[in-house]
Amino acid sequence: MTQDFFLSVLSSNSTKRESKTYIQRFRPTIPLSSGGPKSRSEPQPPKDTYYDPTQGSRPGVNLGSLYLPVHSVDQSPVFTQKVDSQGGFPLPTDNLRVAIVKIRALTDVDDSTLVDIARTLSQLGKLGLESLVVIDSTINSGSVPTRKQLASDGDRLAVAIDSVEGARSRRLNDIIGIRKSADEVMASVRIRDKYHVTSPNLLIAPLQRGQIPVILPVACDDESQISSIIQSDDVVLALVRELTGLNTPLGSSVDPRSSVERFKKTQQTISVDRIIVLDNLGGIPAEDRASGAHVFVNLEQEFDSIASFLLSEDVGTSKSAGRSQSQAHLGNLRLAKDALSLLPPSSSALLTTPEEAANRRKLMGISSSPGVGTRRQKNPLIHNLLTDKPVFSSSLPTGRLQPSPLQQQTATTPQPLLSSQMTTFIKRGMPLTILPNPETHPWVPPKGSQGSLSLKDSRVDLSRLIDLIEDSFDRKLDVEHYLSRIENRIAGIIIAGEYEGGALLTWEMPPHLEHSQSEEIEPQRLVPYLDKFAVLKRSQGTGGVADIVFKAMVRDCFPHGVCWRSRRNNPVNKWYFERARGTWKIPSANWTMFWTTEQAAVDRQLFQDYESVCRQVEPSWADKTGVID
């Protein structure tokens, strides 16, 4: 185990909750000594294995002090309404977990970067995620390489892997076949395709031995036995179908029962957890990030809009280069969508650059002085494996991801983009329902006394919404009082998935204006207020549900700003602090006020309106006791 590896892991900022989830899903092969990796067939040590902060040890692999509580890591803000009191790390399952890695334009990757990429893949294997690599069949010039060029790229990668201590490569040739076209089925989910794996054992055996298979995008026709270069995306999808047990040809001769048994057996022994694309272009360009990529993509919600943006915009320095890059980005996005549609919701895709995967940019910041913040650059692949999250939260304001003013003033060279701006984390995700739809009915202050939405609307499942609020806050709601309070005030509702998370927002009249002698109060004085922000306990801190809801609120619903309050001792406040433009501890009250409005801190009238609303909104909890607010 090298020092670089420990530093990469320790700088991943995984919290205790994330560490539990990681160890439950993966069985790392980190040896106790500094020797090479142990064979999967070797017996495991009987004790001193998985670190358990409450019970000492459990059977498995020694992680040493890898997950010892580190203050700065353990306090990393996550959205959770309640402190996690569960102790210990659950045992992981014993099935083989795999990442399928596609490297685009490998010819343009220099040898030293290639070795560092190989080292990262080896580290993933030690952490329980075995990799197999597909070499892309295009180069940056847009031309298709020859078989000789592909073979040369495969040899370079194999040599790089073999040069890493404890890592071994395995070149796999002619394992992709082409079925006759009659077996093709047109569908939105590519469960069937003419490309398939012809020798499953040749693919799986090296993975079980801890080797890294290297596969060229070459396929052999099942009938004519003529081989040809194909798209690497087709190879990736063929591998996904094989490793998920879906590689069953159509035809009356196929026994459905044997296909079902094969599917079940594969699901129990192998799982594809990651689709990783290493591309010099990096992650998917974001419309709201001038020089960066999407941090996180929720495919169920965002695929169509991102695809439309890439088809309509030129992403590049010249018009022709922009079209080419847009098509490459769109191809990567479609590959992630097609692959994840065949995989469980827990699987994900990661798009980043070879340099990021190699972790070549070692330091962030420009000074080693205390307080300036020089620290090691995170490896997005390692971080993502340990946390199942992007390096930075997608709901953070874009300005928080830029180099600090001190860094910009004292740096002798232009500051590079952070890995979060070059890496995109993708999940199948969940649909997002916003009522009313801000694209057709913008959320603006109502002109009359009536709000535009009611919780009695047939589109709202009131019982599930109440269950969500009560589960998230772990308190019973006084439903009658709550419905009465927000009646005719609702600005809109955001619902993630099947009521896994949500937000209810209202238009609030500042109390000092409610009894105003003026006949009509300007609608602009109504305060956009986040009345309830809730995430089911099982989804808090993981899955990105809170990020999805919060980002929709500040980007689509209230782009000009919104305010809310939270009890001063609420554990979620750390998460709120990172996303708010400003905060204020309301005097003589147990509330902290937050806002995202740009001018709230300097506009005295606006600030007073915000504070008066946050101070006076009456809670609607059934217990009427507990924290005195």
Side-chain angles (χ1 to χ4, degrees):
M1 204 48 76
T2 65
Q3 183 182 18
D4 282 347
F5 179 56
F6 281 114
L7 289 172
S8 294
V9 172
L10 292 174
S11 66
S12 68
N13 283 359
S14 60
T15 64
K16 183 184 295 184
R17 180 191 296 264
E18 293 160 352
S19 299
K20 287 182 181 180
T21 302
Y22 157 71
I23 292 183
Q24 184 177 19
R25 296 182 62 201
F26 294 88
R27 182 177 294 278
T29 56
I30 302 174
L32 178 62
S33 64
S34 58
K38 295 183 179 181
S39 168
R40 290 184 180 272
S41 61
E42 292 182 23
Q44 297 295 327
K47 61 180 182 176
D48 297 328
T49 50
Y50 287 110
Y51 172 68
D52 184 332
T54 61
Q55 300 182 22
S57 63
R58 287 190 180 185
V61 180
N62 192 311
L63 293 180
S65 60
L66 191 60
Y67 289 104
L68 284 174
V70 179
H71 180 77
S72 62
V73 172
D74 201 44
Q75 299 300 317
S76 180
V78 295
F79 186 92
T80 176
Q81 298 278 10
K82 200 171 183 180
V83 177
D84 184 13
S85 59
Q86 296 179 358
F89 292 151
L91 287 172
T93 56
D94 199 26
N95 61 331
L96 182 67
R97 297 191 176 273
V98 177
I100 300 176
V101 183
K102 184 185 92 167
I103 304 181
R104 184 173 180 269
L106 189 142
T107 305
D108 297 329
V109 180
D110 62 72
D111 290 340
S112 60
T113 301
L114 206 55
V115 170
D116 287 336
I117 292 173
R119 182 173 293 108
T120 296
L121 298 181
S122 174
Q123 292 167 356
L124 292 177
K126 292 172 182 176
L127 288 169
L129 184 66
E130 306 295 344
S131 300
L132 60 88
V133 184
V134 177
I135 296 177
D136 191 46
S137 55
T138 59
I139 55 181
N140 277 342
S141 63
S143 60
V144 178
T146 63
R147 291 283 294 273
K148 184 176 180 181
Q149 287 175 309
L150 285 174
S152 175
D153 286 342
D155 290 339
R156 283 184 62 221
L157 179 58
V159 169
I161 294 172
D162 293 336
S163 69
V164 176
E165 182 180 0
R168 291 175 295 166
S169 67
R170 175 69 182 274
R171 277 281 302 277
L172 297 180
N173 299 317
D174 301 325
I175 68 164
I176 304 297
I178 306 175
R179 295 191 183 107
K180 59 182 180 180
S181 58
D183 277 355
E184 292 186 69
V185 175
M186 299 300 294
S188 57
V189 178
R190 297 175 63 177
I191 297 178
R192 297 286 187 271
D193 200 88
K194 62 181 179 180
Y195 301 108
H196 65 105
V197 175
T198 58
S199 304
N201 290 338
L202 291 180
L203 174 67
I204 296 173
L207 291 170
Q208 292 175 328
R209 292 194 293 266
Q211 296 176 319
I212 301 177
V214 176
I215 302 173
L216 302 183
V218 177
C220 184
D221 188 277
D222 290 350
E223 295 182 353
S224 67
Q225 297 300 302
I226 296 176
S227 60
S228 58
I229 297 175
I230 64 173
Q231 293 294 320
S232 58
D233 290 0
D234 291 323
V235 178
V236 170
L237 294 175
L239 294 172
V240 170
R241 287 190 292 271
E242 178 60 45
L243 295 177
T244 52
L246 296 173
N247 184 24
T248 303
L250 296 176
S252 57
S253 61
V254 179
D255 183 2
R257 289 172 297 182
S258 63
S259 298
V260 171
E261 288 301 319
R262 181 179 182 276
F263 175 77
K264 289 182 178 179
K265 183 178 179 181
T266 304
Q267 292 286 312
Q268 292 170 357
T269 56
I270 303 174
S271 64
V272 178
D273 280 88
R274 297 290 190 281
I275 304 296
I276 300 173
V277 178
L278 305 184
D279 189 331
N280 286 323
L281 297 178
I284 305 298
E287 191 171 3
D288 58 343
R289 297 176 186 268
S291 58
H294 280 276
V295 175
F296 170 71
V297 172
N298 174 18
L299 287 173
E300 285 279 359
Q301 173 203 358
E302 299 178 285
F303 175 81
D304 291 337
S305 61
I306 295 175
S308 297
F309 168 70
L310 292 174
L311 287 171
S312 62
E313 296 291 325
D314 293 332
V315 185
T317 55
S318 65
K319 193 170 184 178
S320 60
R323 280 195 296 269
S324 175
Q325 291 185 16
S326 293
Q327 290 298 324
H329 284 301
L330 185 58
N332 290 338
L333 182 65
R334 282 176 173 161
L335 172 61
K337 179 178 182 292
D338 290 341
L340 294 179
S341 68
L342 301 172
L343 297 171
S346 58
S347 297
S348 57
L350 194 70
L351 315 182
T352 190
T353 65
E355 288 73 21
E356 290 299 323
N359 205 21
R360 300 303 303 278
R361 298 182 303 154
K362 299 298 182 183
L363 296 178
M364 296 174 61
I366 41 78
S367 172
S368 58
S369 302
V372 174
T374 297
R375 57 190 176 92
R376 191 174 182 80
Q377 175 80 0
K378 299 173 186 175
N379 185 313
L381 274 64
I382 300 292
H383 174 88
N384 180 249
L385 172 62
L386 296 175
T387 66
D388 197 33
K389 292 180 180 179
V391 175
F392 292 98
S393 170
S394 60
S395 62
L396 282 175
T398 55
R400 304 279 170 89
L401 303 181
Q402 304 293 337
S404 68
L406 177 61
Q407 292 173 349
Q408 293 175 340
Q409 292 173 10
T410 57
T412 56
T413 58
Q415 293 295 294
L417 293 174
L418 303 180
S419 61
S420 65
Q421 297 171 277
M422 305 174 69
T423 302
T424 299
F425 178 53
I426 303 176
K427 280 210 166 190
R428 188 197 304 177
M430 59 190 67
L432 191 72
T433 303
I434 305 178
L435 302 174
N437 185 344
E439 294 183 359
T440 56
H441 296 84
W443 292 22
V444 295
K447 294 181 180 180
S449 60
Q450 298 293 315
S452 60
L453 185 67
S454 169
L455 290 186
K456 297 178 182 178
D457 191 298
S458 60
R459 296 170 294 177
V460 180
D461 190 329
L462 181 58
S463 62
R464 296 180 74 182
L465 179 62
I466 293 171
D467 288 343
L468 166 62
I469 294 171
E470 293 182 342
D471 180 87
S472 178
F473 287 87
D474 202 21
R475 300 177 75 178
K476 281 292 183 180
L477 192 68
D478 184 339
V479 178
E480 184 176 350
H481 179 274
Y482 185 64
L483 295 180
S484 175
R485 196 199 75 74
I486 63 174
E487 185 69 23
N488 298 326
R489 298 174 185 263
I490 300 176
I493 302 173
I494 304 170
I495 298 296
E498 296 296 324
Y499 287 78
E500 295 174 59
L504 192 150
L505 299 106
T506 58
W507 294 110
E508 299 291 340
M509 179 70 70
H512 56 276
L513 295 181
E514 286 189 296
H515 306 291
S516 173
Q517 299 300 318
S518 175
E519 294 184 0
E520 186 175 350
I521 298 174
E522 297 180 358
Q524 287 74 18
R525 294 297 298 275
L526 292 176
V527 172
Y529 179 70
L530 172 58
D531 188 84
K532 288 289 183 288
F533 190 92
V535 177
L536 291 177
K537 283 198 287 284
R538 69 168 185 261
S539 299
Q540 291 181 10
T542 60
V545 178
D547 287 321
I548 291 171
V549 175
F550 192 90
K551 188 166 67 170
M553 177 182 73
V554 298
R555 183 187 64 183
D556 302 324
C557 302
F558 281 136
H560 301 299
V562 62
C563 75
W564 68 97
R565 71 182 186 183
S566 176
R567 283 176 287 106
R568 291 191 182 185
N569 61 346
N570 192 339
V572 81
N573 286 353
K574 295 178 182 179
W575 194 85
Y576 285 148
F577 278 126
E578 287 190 341
R579 286 152 182 80
R581 283 186 179 270
T583 67
W584 170 253
K585 292 183 178 180
I586 301 177
S588 304
N590 194 38
W591 299 111
T592 296
M593 180 175 77
F594 300 86
W595 65 87
T596 62
T597 313
E598 188 172 354
Q599 299 297 322
V602 295
D603 187 326
R604 184 175 181 180
Q605 182 187 81
L606 183 62
F607 185 88
Q608 289 178 341
D609 288 350
Y610 279 14
E611 182 186 6
S612 64
V613 165
C614 290
R615 180 187 292 273
Q616 297 297 328
V617 167
E618 186 177 356
S620 298
W621 300 114
D623 51 29
K624 307 293 184 183
T625 59
V627 179
I628 299 176
D629 299 319

